[in-house]
Amino acid sequence: AKISGKGSFRLFSQSLSQEAQSYFHVGAHIREAIDLDEFKVYYQPTVNARTGDINGMEALLRWRSSRLGRFVMPDEFIPVAEQLGIIIPLGEWVLRRACSQSLNWLELFPNLRLSVNLSARQFSDPALVSKVEQILQETGFPCGSLDMELTENVLVKSEDRAVEVMNNLVRRGIGISIDDFGTGYSSMAYLKSFPVRRLKIDRSFISGIPEDKGDLAIAEAVVTLAHSLGKEVVAEGVETAEQMRILGSIGCDVLQGYLFSPPVPHDRFDTLLSGGPIR
Ligand code: C2E
Ligand code: CA
Ligand code: CA
Ligand code: CA
């Protein structure tokens, strides 16, 4: 028992330090990548479920690493950037870039809304509101056309402060969306107290439609709940025409997913916009 205990300790500490090392490397690499201009913002359209028209775009970060010679996806580096606090400058960069790139699209289609993801670390940054305000001022992007996406877990951490920060954003005309709705440790009560404009039903509930009756029941319940609270519902991860039809028929307001388009670079989003309804 002693030997195996020792052995497993050695293994454990080895893997821990490997993890710490890889965190350190990825962290240094991310800082370098900002300077090297290796990040890009991609845009995924959202469509009006009734008309099929594009009504907005979600900004999603992409990293083409010259050092690794490949794209690194957000699920690989966002958690590290979050852990190391680099998400704060990186998140500001995304917001600034997305606002300035989207401005042209808004001139042609004034009803478009831009959605930007906000991580827990950013949300708890005391300077968040003033930074957002500064970026909007710098870029000239209209506050009323911006939505910020937060996950449920960000909100339950410190409820009072969360309400205060959200109110500060909402007062400036910014909309708040709850992302990945249904996956967090949520209490339904917060829906009442948080100034939230839309709920995004997590992809994991959409992917089972139509086969999984439970998923469909959850989606329907979220639509009913959201609408009775005066909120809009977005279904994310829509991949099939059948899902589009069903989600439209149960009253989802906005749809997003590969069926319409994957996230695309800025210039390809131009092309999407000039094409009219995409489905
Ligand atoms: P998310 O905010 O839930 O974004 C939706 C993710 O689903 C995106 O993955 C998108 O490419 C993907 N997706 C969209 N439609 C479909 C579909 O029909 N089928 C499938 N299978 N996937 C679909 P992505 O771009 O890899 O981003 C992953 C996560 O990384 C995001 O999840 C978000 O939490 C985070 N993230 C991305 N960009 C940023 C950012 O700028 N800031 C922060 N804080 N987080 C970001
Ligand atoms: Ca999102
Ligand atoms: Ca999501
Ligand atoms: Ca997600």
Coordinates of all heavy atoms in Angstrom, one line a residue, residues 154-222:
V154 N -22.3 32.8 -13.7 CA -21.8 34.1 -13.4 C -22.7 34.9 -12.5 O -22.3 35.6 -11.6 CB -21.6 35.0 -14.7 CG1 -21.2 36.4 -14.4 CG2 -20.6 34.3 -15.6
L155 N -24.0 34.7 -12.7 CA -25.0 35.5 -12.1 C -25.3 35.0 -10.6 O -25.6 35.9 -9.8 CB -26.3 35.4 -12.8 CG -26.2 35.8 -14.3 CD1 -27.5 35.7 -15.0 CD2 -25.6 37.3 -14.4
V156 N -25.2 33.7 -10.4 CA -25.6 33.3 -9.0 C -24.5 33.5 -8.0 O -24.7 33.5 -6.8 CB -26.0 31.8 -9.0 CG1 -27.3 31.6 -9.6 CG2 -24.9 30.9 -9.7
K157 N -23.3 33.8 -8.5 CA -22.1 34.0 -7.6 C -22.4 35.1 -6.5 O -22.3 34.9 -5.3 CB -20.8 34.3 -8.3 CG -20.0 33.0 -8.6 CD -18.7 33.3 -9.2 CE -18.2 32.1 -9.9 NZ -17.4 32.4 -11.0
S158 N -22.7 36.3 -7.0 CA -23.0 37.4 -6.1 C -24.2 38.1 -6.6 O -24.0 39.0 -7.4 CB -21.8 38.3 -5.8 OG -21.6 39.1 -7.0
E159 N -25.3 37.7 -6.1 CA -26.6 38.2 -6.8 C -26.8 39.7 -6.7 O -27.1 40.3 -7.7 CB -27.8 37.5 -6.1 CG -29.0 37.6 -7.0 CD -30.1 36.7 -6.5 OE1 -29.9 35.5 -6.2 OE2 -31.2 37.2 -6.5
D160 N -26.5 40.3 -5.6 CA -26.7 41.7 -5.5 C -25.8 42.5 -6.4 O -26.3 43.5 -7.1 CB -26.5 42.2 -4.0 CG -27.6 41.7 -3.1 OD1 -28.6 41.2 -3.6 OD2 -27.4 41.8 -1.9
R161 N -24.6 42.2 -6.4 CA -23.6 42.9 -7.2 C -24.0 42.7 -8.7 O -23.9 43.6 -9.5 CB -22.2 42.5 -6.9 CG -21.2 43.6 -7.1 CD -19.8 43.1 -7.1 NE -19.5 42.5 -8.4 CZ -19.1 43.1 -9.5 NH1 -18.9 44.4 -9.4 NH2 -18.9 42.5 -10.6
A162 N -24.4 41.4 -9.0 CA -24.7 41.1 -10.4 C -25.8 42.0 -10.9 O -25.8 42.6 -12.0 CB -25.1 39.6 -10.5
V163 N -26.8 42.2 -10.0 CA -28.0 43.0 -10.4 C -27.5 44.4 -10.6 O -27.9 45.1 -11.6 CB -29.1 43.0 -9.3 CG1 -30.2 44.0 -9.7 CG2 -29.7 41.6 -9.3
E164 N -26.6 44.9 -9.8 CA -26.1 46.3 -9.9 C -25.4 46.5 -11.2 O -25.6 47.5 -11.9 CB -25.2 46.6 -8.6 CG -24.9 48.0 -8.5 CD -23.9 48.2 -7.3 OE1 -24.1 47.6 -6.3 OE2 -22.9 48.9 -7.6
V165 N -24.5 45.5 -11.5 CA -23.7 45.7 -12.7 C -24.6 45.6 -13.9 O -24.5 46.4 -14.9 CB -22.6 44.6 -12.8 CG1 -21.9 44.7 -14.1 CG2 -21.6 44.7 -11.7
M166 N -25.5 44.7 -13.9 CA -26.4 44.6 -15.0 C -27.3 45.8 -15.2 O -27.5 46.3 -16.3 CB -27.4 43.4 -14.9 CG -26.6 42.1 -15.2 SD -27.8 40.7 -15.4 CE -27.8 40.2 -13.7
N167 N -27.8 46.4 -14.1 CA -28.5 47.6 -14.2 C -27.7 48.7 -14.8 O -28.2 49.5 -15.5 CB -29.1 48.0 -12.8 CG -30.3 47.2 -12.4 OD1 -31.1 46.8 -13.3 ND2 -30.6 47.0 -11.2
N168 N -26.4 48.8 -14.4 CA -25.6 49.8 -15.0 C -25.4 49.7 -16.5 O -25.3 50.7 -17.2 CB -24.2 49.8 -14.3 CG -24.2 50.5 -13.0 OD1 -24.9 51.5 -12.9 ND2 -23.4 50.0 -12.0
L169 N -25.4 48.4 -16.9 CA -25.3 48.2 -18.4 C -26.6 48.5 -19.1 O -26.6 49.2 -20.1 CB -24.8 46.8 -18.7 CG -23.4 46.4 -18.2 CD1 -23.2 44.9 -18.3 CD2 -22.3 47.1 -19.0
V170 N -27.7 48.0 -18.5 CA -29.0 48.2 -19.0 C -29.4 49.7 -19.1 O -30.0 50.2 -20.1 CB -30.0 47.4 -18.2 CG1 -31.5 47.8 -18.6 CG2 -29.8 45.9 -18.4
R171 N -29.0 50.5 -18.1 CA -29.3 51.9 -18.1 C -28.6 52.6 -19.3 O -29.1 53.6 -19.7 CB -28.7 52.5 -16.8 CG -29.6 53.6 -16.2 CD -29.1 54.0 -14.8 NE -29.4 53.0 -13.8 CZ -28.5 52.6 -12.9 NH1 -27.3 53.1 -12.9 NH2 -28.8 51.8 -12.0
R172 N -27.5 52.0 -19.7 CA -26.9 52.6 -20.9 C -27.4 52.1 -22.2 O -26.9 52.4 -23.3 CB -25.3 52.4 -20.8 CG -24.7 53.2 -19.7 CD -23.3 52.7 -19.4 NE -22.7 53.6 -18.4 CZ -23.0 53.7 -17.1 NH1 -23.8 52.9 -16.6 NH2 -22.4 54.6 -16.4
G173 N -28.4 51.2 -22.1 CA -29.1 50.8 -23.3 C -28.6 49.4 -23.8 O -29.1 48.9 -24.8
I174 N -27.7 48.8 -23.1 CA -27.1 47.5 -23.4 C -28.1 46.4 -23.0 O -28.6 46.5 -21.9 CB -25.7 47.3 -22.8 CG1 -24.8 48.4 -23.4 CG2 -25.2 45.9 -23.0 CD1 -23.5 48.5 -22.6
G175 N -28.3 45.4 -23.8 CA -29.1 44.3 -23.5 C -28.3 43.1 -22.8 O -27.2 42.9 -23.2
I176 N -29.0 42.4 -21.9 CA -28.3 41.3 -21.3 C -29.0 40.0 -21.7 O -30.2 39.9 -21.7 CB -28.4 41.4 -19.7 CG1 -27.9 42.7 -19.2 CG2 -27.7 40.2 -19.1 CD1 -26.4 42.9 -19.2
S177 N -28.2 39.0 -22.2 CA -28.7 37.7 -22.5 C -28.2 36.7 -21.6 O -27.0 36.8 -21.2 CB -28.3 37.3 -23.9 OG -28.6 38.3 -24.9
I178 N -29.0 35.7 -21.2 CA -28.4 34.6 -20.4 C -28.1 33.5 -21.4 O -29.0 33.0 -22.2 CB -29.5 34.0 -19.4 CG1 -30.0 35.2 -18.6 CG2 -28.8 32.9 -18.6 CD1 -29.4 35.3 -17.3
D179 N -26.8 33.1 -21.5 CA -26.3 32.2 -22.4 C -26.4 30.8 -21.8 O -26.4 30.6 -20.6 CB -24.8 32.5 -22.7 CG -24.3 32.0 -24.0 OD1 -25.0 31.3 -24.7 OD2 -23.1 32.3 -24.3
D180 N -26.4 29.8 -22.7 CA -26.4 28.3 -22.3 C -27.5 28.1 -21.2 O -27.3 27.4 -20.3 CB -25.1 28.0 -21.7 CG -23.9 28.2 -22.6 OD1 -24.2 28.4 -23.8 OD2 -22.8 28.1 -22.2
F181 N -28.7 28.7 -21.4 CA -29.7 28.7 -20.4 C -30.2 27.2 -20.2 O -30.4 26.5 -21.1 CB -30.9 29.5 -20.8 CG -32.0 29.6 -19.7 CD1 -31.8 30.3 -18.6 CD2 -33.1 28.8 -19.8 CE1 -32.7 30.4 -17.6 CE2 -34.1 28.8 -18.8 CZ -33.9 29.6 -17.7
G182 N -30.3 26.9 -18.9 CA -30.7 25.5 -18.5 C -29.6 24.6 -18.1 O -29.8 23.5 -17.6
T183 N -28.3 25.1 -18.3 CA -27.2 24.2 -18.0 C -26.6 24.6 -16.6 O -25.8 23.8 -16.1 CB -26.1 24.2 -19.0 OG1 -25.6 25.6 -19.1 CG2 -26.6 23.8 -20.4
G184 N -26.9 25.7 -16.1 CA -26.2 26.2 -14.9 C -26.9 25.8 -13.6 O -27.9 25.1 -13.6
Y185 N -26.4 26.3 -12.5 CA -27.0 26.0 -11.2 C -28.0 27.2 -11.0 O -27.7 28.0 -10.2 CB -26.0 26.0 -10.1 CG -24.9 25.0 -10.3 CD1 -23.7 25.4 -10.9 CD2 -25.1 23.7 -9.9 CE1 -22.7 24.5 -11.1 CE2 -24.1 22.8 -10.1 CZ -22.9 23.2 -10.7 OH -21.9 22.2 -10.9
S186 N -29.1 27.2 -11.7 CA -29.9 28.4 -11.6 C -31.0 28.2 -10.7 O -31.6 27.1 -10.5 CB -30.4 28.7 -13.0 OG -31.1 27.6 -13.5
S187 N -31.4 29.3 -10.1 CA -32.6 29.4 -9.4 C -33.5 30.2 -10.3 O -33.1 31.2 -10.8 CB -32.4 30.0 -8.0 OG -33.1 31.2 -8.0
M188 N -34.7 29.7 -10.5 CA -35.7 30.4 -11.3 C -35.9 31.9 -10.8 O -36.2 32.7 -11.6 CB -37.0 29.7 -11.4 CG -36.9 28.4 -12.2 SD -36.6 28.8 -13.9 CE -36.0 27.2 -14.4
A189 N -35.7 32.1 -9.5 CA -36.0 33.3 -8.9 C -35.2 34.5 -9.6 O -35.7 35.6 -9.7 CB -35.7 33.3 -7.4
Y190 N -34.0 34.2 -10.0 CA -33.2 35.3 -10.5 C -33.7 35.9 -11.8 O -33.5 37.0 -12.1 CB -31.7 34.9 -10.7 CG -31.3 34.0 -11.8 CD1 -31.4 34.5 -13.1 CD2 -30.9 32.7 -11.6 CE1 -31.1 33.7 -14.2 CE2 -30.6 31.9 -12.7 CZ -30.7 32.4 -13.9 OH -30.4 31.5 -15.0
L191 N -34.5 35.0 -12.5 CA -35.1 35.6 -13.7 C -36.0 36.8 -13.5 O -36.1 37.6 -14.3 CB -35.9 34.5 -14.4 CG -35.1 33.4 -15.2 CD1 -36.0 32.5 -15.8 CD2 -34.2 34.1 -16.2
K192 N -36.5 36.8 -12.3 CA -37.5 37.8 -11.9 C -36.7 39.1 -11.6 O -37.1 40.2 -11.9 CB -38.2 37.4 -10.7 CG -39.6 37.8 -10.6 CD -40.4 37.2 -9.4 CE -39.6 37.4 -8.1 NZ -40.4 37.0 -7.0
S193 N -35.5 38.9 -10.9 CA -34.8 40.1 -10.4 C -33.8 40.6 -11.3 O -33.4 41.8 -11.2 CB -34.2 39.8 -9.0 OG -33.4 38.6 -9.1
F194 N -33.3 39.8 -12.3 CA -32.3 40.3 -13.2 C -32.9 40.9 -14.5 O -33.8 40.4 -15.1 CB -31.4 39.1 -13.6 CG -30.5 38.6 -12.6 CD1 -29.8 37.4 -12.7 CD2 -30.3 39.4 -11.4 CE1 -29.0 37.0 -11.7 CE2 -29.4 38.9 -10.4 CZ -28.8 37.7 -10.6
P195 N -32.4 42.1 -14.8 CA -32.9 42.8 -16.0 C -32.4 42.2 -17.3 O -31.6 42.7 -18.0 CB -32.3 44.2 -15.8 CG -31.0 44.0 -15.1 CD -31.2 42.8 -14.2
V196 N -32.9 41.0 -17.6 CA -32.5 40.2 -18.7 C -33.4 40.4 -19.9 O -34.6 40.4 -19.7 CB -32.4 38.7 -18.3 CG1 -32.2 37.8 -19.5 CG2 -31.2 38.5 -17.3
R197 N -32.9 40.5 -21.1 CA -33.7 40.8 -22.3 C -34.0 39.5 -23.0 O -35.0 39.3 -23.6 CB -32.8 41.7 -23.1 CG -33.4 42.1 -24.4 CD -32.3 42.8 -25.3 NE -32.5 42.5 -26.7 CZ -33.3 43.2 -27.4 NH1 -34.0 44.3 -27.0 NH2 -33.5 42.9 -28.7
R198 N -33.0 38.6 -23.0 CA -33.2 37.3 -23.7 C -32.6 36.1 -23.1 O -31.6 36.2 -22.4 CB -32.8 37.4 -25.2 CG -31.6 38.2 -25.5 CD -31.0 37.8 -26.8 NE -31.7 38.2 -28.0 CZ -31.1 38.4 -29.2 NH1 -29.7 38.2 -29.3 NH2 -31.7 38.7 -30.3
L199 N -33.2 34.9 -23.3 CA -32.6 33.7 -22.9 C -32.2 32.9 -24.1 O -32.9 32.8 -25.1 CB -33.7 32.8 -22.1 CG -34.4 33.5 -20.9 CD1 -35.3 32.5 -20.3 CD2 -33.3 33.9 -19.9
K200 N -31.0 32.3 -24.0 CA -30.5 31.5 -25.1 C -30.6 30.0 -24.6 O -29.8 29.6 -23.7 CB -29.1 31.9 -25.5 CG -29.0 33.3 -26.1 CD -27.6 33.5 -26.6 CE -27.4 32.9 -28.0 NZ -26.1 33.4 -28.7
I201 N -31.5 29.3 -25.2 CA -31.6 27.8 -24.8 C -30.3 27.1 -25.3 O -30.0 27.2 -26.5 CB -32.8 27.2 -25.5 CG1 -34.1 27.9 -25.2 CG2 -33.0 25.7 -25.0 CD1 -35.3 27.4 -25.9
D202 N -29.7 26.4 -24.4 CA -28.5 25.8 -24.7 C -28.6 24.7 -25.8 O -29.6 24.0 -25.9 CB -27.9 25.1 -23.4 CG -26.4 24.6 -23.7 OD1 -25.6 25.5 -23.9 OD2 -26.2 23.4 -23.7
R203 N -27.6 24.6 -26.6 CA -27.5 23.7 -27.7 C -27.8 22.2 -27.3 O -28.4 21.5 -28.1 CB -26.1 23.8 -28.3 CG -26.0 23.0 -29.6 CD -24.7 23.3 -30.2 NE -23.5 22.6 -29.6 CZ -22.4 23.2 -29.3 NH1 -22.2 24.5 -29.6 NH2 -21.4 22.5 -28.8
S204 N -27.5 21.9 -26.1 CA -27.7 20.5 -25.6 C -29.1 20.1 -25.6 O -29.5 18.9 -25.7 CB -27.0 20.3 -24.3 OG -27.6 21.1 -23.3
F205 N -30.0 21.1 -25.4 CA -31.5 20.8 -25.5 C -32.0 20.8 -26.9 O -33.1 20.3 -27.2 CB -32.3 21.8 -24.6 CG -31.8 21.8 -23.2 CD1 -31.1 22.9 -22.7 CD2 -32.0 20.8 -22.3 CE1 -30.7 23.0 -21.4 CE2 -31.6 20.8 -21.0 CZ -31.0 21.9 -20.5
I206 N -31.3 21.5 -27.8 CA -31.8 21.6 -29.1 C -31.4 20.4 -29.9 O -32.2 19.9 -30.8 CB -31.2 22.9 -29.8 CG1 -31.5 24.2 -29.0 CG2 -31.7 23.1 -31.3 CD1 -33.0 24.5 -28.7
S207 N -30.2 19.9 -29.6 CA -29.7 18.8 -30.5 C -30.6 17.5 -30.4 O -30.6 16.7 -31.3 CB -28.2 18.5 -30.1 OG -28.2 18.1 -28.8
G208 N -31.3 17.3 -29.3 CA -32.2 16.1 -29.2 C -33.5 16.2 -30.0 O -34.2 15.3 -30.1
I209 N -33.8 17.4 -30.4 CA -35.1 17.7 -31.1 C -35.0 17.2 -32.5 O -34.0 17.5 -33.2 CB -35.5 19.2 -31.0 CG1 -35.7 19.6 -29.6 CG2 -36.7 19.5 -31.9 CD1 -36.0 21.1 -29.4
P210 N -35.9 16.4 -33.1 CA -37.2 16.0 -32.5 C -37.3 14.7 -31.7 O -38.3 14.5 -31.1 CB -38.1 15.9 -33.8 CG -37.1 15.3 -34.8 CD -35.8 15.9 -34.5
E211 N -36.2 13.9 -31.8 CA -36.3 12.5 -31.2 C -36.6 12.6 -29.7 O -37.5 11.8 -29.2 CB -35.1 11.7 -31.5 CG -34.8 11.3 -32.9 CD -34.2 12.5 -33.7 OE1 -33.7 13.4 -33.0 OE2 -34.1 12.4 -34.9
D212 N -35.9 13.4 -29.0 CA -36.0 13.4 -27.5 C -37.1 14.3 -27.1 O -37.1 15.5 -27.1 CB -34.6 13.9 -27.0 CG -34.5 13.7 -25.5 OD1 -35.5 14.0 -24.8 OD2 -33.4 13.4 -25.0
K213 N -38.2 13.6 -26.6 CA -39.4 14.4 -26.2 C -39.1 15.3 -24.9 O -39.7 16.3 -24.8 CB -40.5 13.4 -25.8 CG -41.0 12.6 -27.0 CD -41.4 13.4 -28.2 CE -41.6 12.6 -29.5 NZ -41.1 13.2 -30.7
G214 N -38.1 14.8 -24.1 CA -37.7 15.6 -22.9 C -37.1 16.9 -23.3 O -37.4 18.0 -22.8
D215 N -36.2 16.9 -24.3 CA -35.6 18.1 -24.8 C -36.7 19.1 -25.4 O -36.6 20.3 -25.1 CB -34.6 17.8 -25.9 CG -33.3 17.3 -25.3 OD1 -33.1 17.4 -24.1 OD2 -32.4 16.8 -26.1
L216 N -37.6 18.5 -26.1 CA -38.6 19.4 -26.7 C -39.5 20.0 -25.6 O -39.8 21.2 -25.6 CB -39.5 18.6 -27.7 CG -40.6 19.3 -28.4 CD1 -40.1 20.5 -29.2 CD2 -41.4 18.4 -29.3
A217 N -39.8 19.2 -24.6 CA -40.6 19.7 -23.5 C -39.9 20.8 -22.7 O -40.5 21.9 -22.4 CB -40.9 18.6 -22.5
I218 N -38.6 20.7 -22.6 CA -37.8 21.7 -21.9 C -37.8 23.0 -22.8 O -38.0 24.1 -22.3 CB -36.3 21.3 -21.6 CG1 -36.4 20.2 -20.5 CG2 -35.4 22.4 -21.2 CD1 -35.1 19.5 -20.3
A219 N -37.5 22.9 -24.1 CA -37.5 24.0 -24.9 C -38.9 24.8 -24.9 O -38.9 26.0 -24.8 CB -37.2 23.6 -26.4
E220 N -40.0 24.0 -24.9 CA -41.3 24.6 -24.9 C -41.5 25.3 -23.5 O -42.1 26.4 -23.5 CB -42.4 23.5 -25.0 CG -42.7 23.2 -26.4 CD -43.9 22.3 -26.6 OE1 -43.8 21.0 -26.4 OE2 -45.0 22.8 -26.8
A221 N -41.1 24.7 -22.5 CA -41.2 25.3 -21.1 C -40.4 26.6 -21.0 O -40.9 27.6 -20.5 CB -40.8 24.3 -20.0
V222 N -39.2 26.6 -21.6 CA -38.4 27.8 -21.5 C -39.1 29.0 -22.3 O -39.1 30.1 -21.9 CB -37.0 27.6 -22.1 CG1 -36.2 28.9 -22.2 CG2 -36.2 26.6 -21.2

